[in-house]
Amino acid sequence: MIQNPDSLLQNYFGSLSHEEVSVILSYFREEKLERNDFFTESGKICNKLSIVKSGILRIFALSDDGREVTQWLAQENFLLTEISGFFFDHPNRWNIQALTETELLTISKDDYKALCHDFPQWSDIEKKLIMKCFSMMEDRIFTHLSLTAEQRYDLYFEQNKSLFNKVPLQFIASVLGMSPETFSRIRKRKI
């Protein structure tokens, strides 16, 4: 059972009563992924949405020239899905793979639709979720357009220090939009 479901859900859903949290949780199930297991793969249609309880997952795709491009590293309390698949039934662009043993709180697409129907307050919660995700995307785009590579490194390091010892650094370099060589040069200056 979830140790403190209220605090986990409050991170995304705002001020909810214990009863409302219980109703929402009744649609979710616990899921575990082993290291290297896929949450979903490109070309398939993602049929679930999860909150990461513990662990680290990598969202990545292959570029036209065969390079792996890491879009995001999801960790505890992050919301996780492949948006094109889950909401629009399009084949996934992104692979989502566990980098560590991972525990998730997962809702299937069918249960998500039932939750929307059965729990009228969900539309307001969903709107807040979408706004939070959109705000995160705006922040990420702004930093990529306005900050130097070194400033992006500094900001990401401040916000995600623990990742630097837990995942291959080339994944972080990719998230930051820089080559492993540029990342390495900046890192050497910081150490």
Side-chain angles (χ1 to χ4, degrees):
M1 187 62 187
I2 301 159
Q3 292 177 351
N4 189 355
D6 290 3
S7 65
L8 182 65
L9 292 177
Q10 295 299 349
N11 187 43
Y12 282 99
F13 307 139
S15 298
L16 296 175
S17 71
H18 181 72
E19 292 76 24
E20 290 171 319
V21 169
S22 294
V23 169
I24 293 169
L25 280 177
S26 71
Y27 290 85
F28 284 79
R29 64 177 172 72
E30 294 196 26
E31 179 181 7
K32 292 187 179 194
L33 297 175
E34 297 298 321
R35 184 176 184 266
N36 295 323
D37 284 353
F38 281 88
F39 175 84
T40 192
E41 296 179 71
S42 66
K44 296 182 178 178
I45 295 177
C46 186
N47 62 358
K48 58 187 175 177
L49 177 142
S50 297
I51 298 170
V52 181
K53 289 176 54 183
S54 67
I56 303 169
L57 298 103
R58 178 170 77 121
I59 297 92
F60 70 99
L62 292 176
S63 67
D64 290 341
D65 63 2
R67 266 182 321 113
E68 286 186 356
V69 177
T70 301
Q71 178 218 44
W72 195 258
L73 296 166
Q75 41 189 330
E76 187 175 325
N77 292 328
F78 278 57
L79 195 64
L80 183 71
T81 192
E82 212 286 351
I83 292 171
S84 293
F86 189 78
F87 289 105
F88 303 111
D89 292 322
H90 295 158
N92 301 342
R93 172 184 302 153
W94 303 99
N95 296 288
I96 303 176
Q97 185 177 30
L99 296 178
T100 64
E101 287 186 10
T102 302
E103 293 182 2
L104 305 167
L105 196 56
T106 299
I107 188 168
S108 70
K109 188 184 298 192
D110 289 339
D111 285 341
Y112 188 88
K113 289 175 184 175
L115 176 60
C116 294
H117 179 267
D118 298 343
F119 189 69
Q121 303 91 313
W122 185 255
S123 65
D124 289 336
I125 293 167
E126 184 180 48
K127 193 182 300 182
K128 288 178 186 174
L129 281 171
I130 292 167
M131 287 187 291
K132 184 173 182 162
C133 292
F134 189 73
S135 177
M136 288 173 66
M137 283 181 15
E138 278 187 329
D139 289 346
R140 184 149 182 231
I141 291 167
F142 180 77
T143 61
H144 272 70
L145 295 175
S146 65
L147 300 180
T148 66
E150 188 162 346
Q151 290 170 324
R152 288 194 312 271
Y153 176 97
D154 290 342
L155 180 63
Y156 196 81
F157 182 79
E158 271 310 304
Q159 295 171 344
N160 302 282
K161 286 179 187 169
S162 66
L163 280 181
F164 282 68
N165 295 319
K166 295 180 181 174
V167 302
L169 296 177
Q170 72 263 21
F171 297 163
I172 297 173
S174 184
V175 168
L176 294 174
M178 60 182 77
S179 70
E181 296 79 18
T182 299
F183 182 89
S184 180
R185 279 194 302 275
I186 293 170
R187 187 164 169 77
K188 282 180 185 172
R189 287 196 300 265
K190 302 293 178 181
I191 297 177

